[in-house]
Amino acid sequence: MQDALARRQVKISPSILACDFSRLGEQVSDVERAGADMLHLDVMDGHFVPNLSIGPGVIKSLRAVSGLVFDTHLMITHPLAYIKAFAEAGCDILTFHIECADNISRTLAEIQKHGMKPGLSVKPNTPASAVFPYLGDIAMALVMTVEPGFGGQAFIGEMCVKISELREEITRRGLNTDIEVDGGIDASTAPLAINSGANILVAGSSVFGAEDYAHAIKNLRSAAKRRRIKD
């Protein structure tokens, strides 16, 4: 698995949840120039998680000023009802939670129908095996390394086991599925996530909270290259 991971490019997806929303467009443009690979867009409905954030309208506005891959994470109870709206807003990857109230297979199919790549996310208390039946239908599995809903939380180290289980199953099946991690990612936790099998890092405050976005992204990339050497 380590050889496969070494060949897999690590991507950085800064989360706008940590932005100064009065300067949202400006900061998104800045982080794109700083070398981000993707832009993580957290959508929360105040029901699935106890917080509210942005919707398709804000994403559409950002699409006009950014050429980044829009990596959209729906923390909402009924994602199926909003797939068309997010496609029209310009999302590229649309990830929703396996714990949502909608039919998983139907929701994945609708995302593909609307020209987006589907992703499936799991909360910390949901086992990796819950995603296994859908691995052939998704482009990305998102492992939450904090409880979803708020930024600035500490990385839950036990989630590394879940990341490893997903990567082992993906490798066993010969799939090319990405594994993204979201929550508490910085230069100290990035190597743990990458070594466990992740290849996309969502970073909020460690990027948008830095004075120099390019330096912060470079630090994450450098940290991600530090892998544990197996005996």
Side-chain angles (χ1 to χ4, degrees):
M1 186 175 77
Q2 291 294 314
D3 289 342
L5 288 175
R7 294 190 298 269
R8 184 178 288 271
Q9 181 187 2
V10 173
K11 296 181 180 179
I12 310 298
S13 186
S15 171
I16 68 166
L17 198 60
C19 273
D20 176 351
F21 272 66
S22 69
R23 302 171 54 219
L24 184 56
E26 175 190 343
Q27 291 191 336
V28 166
S29 295
D30 288 346
V31 85
E32 182 170 2
R33 286 192 295 269
D37 302 290
M38 310 161 76
L39 188 69
H40 194 77
L41 304 161
D42 288 304
V43 177
M44 298 178 277
D45 63 1
H47 182 262
F48 185 78
V49 293
N51 198 5
L52 289 166
S53 61
I54 63 171
V58 172
I59 294 174
K60 186 175 182 179
S61 296
L62 291 176
R63 182 78 287 171
V65 300
S66 177
L68 286 171
V69 171
F70 276 12
D71 166 28
T72 305
H73 177 196
L74 303 183
M75 289 171 273
I76 65 178
T77 302
H78 294 288
L80 190 57
Y82 300 97
I83 290 172
K84 182 180 178 181
F86 283 106
E88 291 175 347
C91 298
D92 299 294
I93 303 169
L94 198 64
T95 299
F96 66 99
H97 274 263
I98 199 166
E99 303 93 352
C100 76
D102 291 337
N103 180 274
I104 303 301
S105 294
R106 183 182 172 193
T107 304
L108 292 171
E110 281 296 306
I111 291 171
Q112 291 180 313
K113 176 182 173 181
H114 283 83
M116 296 176 289
K117 294 181 178 180
L120 199 55
S121 182
V122 288
K123 292 182 179 182
N125 288 332
T126 301
S129 58
V131 183
F132 289 0
Y134 307 102
L135 283 176
D137 301 314
I138 62 176
M140 183 172 73
L142 168 55
V143 176
M144 293 302 302
T145 45
V146 298
E147 287 293 338
F150 295 92
Q153 299 182 65
F155 182 87
I156 302 173
E158 291 81 359
M159 295 303 102
C160 288
V161 174
K162 187 183 298 186
I163 298 167
S164 295
E165 290 171 351
L166 278 167
R167 180 55 66 197
E168 287 171 5
E169 184 66 12
I170 289 166
T171 300
R172 187 185 71 81
R173 297 193 196 183
L175 300 173
N176 195 37
T177 313
D178 290 318
I179 298 180
E180 183 174 65
V181 290
D182 182 0
I185 297 297
D186 56 25
S188 64
T189 57
L192 302 176
I194 295 301
N195 187 71
S196 298
N199 65 293
I200 301 177
L201 303 174
V202 176
S205 56
S206 64
V207 172
F208 283 110
E211 291 187 10
D212 186 333
Y213 295 165
H215 183 68
I217 290 170
K218 183 179 179 180
N219 276 350
L220 282 171
R221 292 195 196 282
S222 297
K225 292 178 182 178
R226 297 199 299 267
R227 305 181 190 280
R228 182 179 59 212
I229 300 173
K230 286 194 171 184
D231 295 333

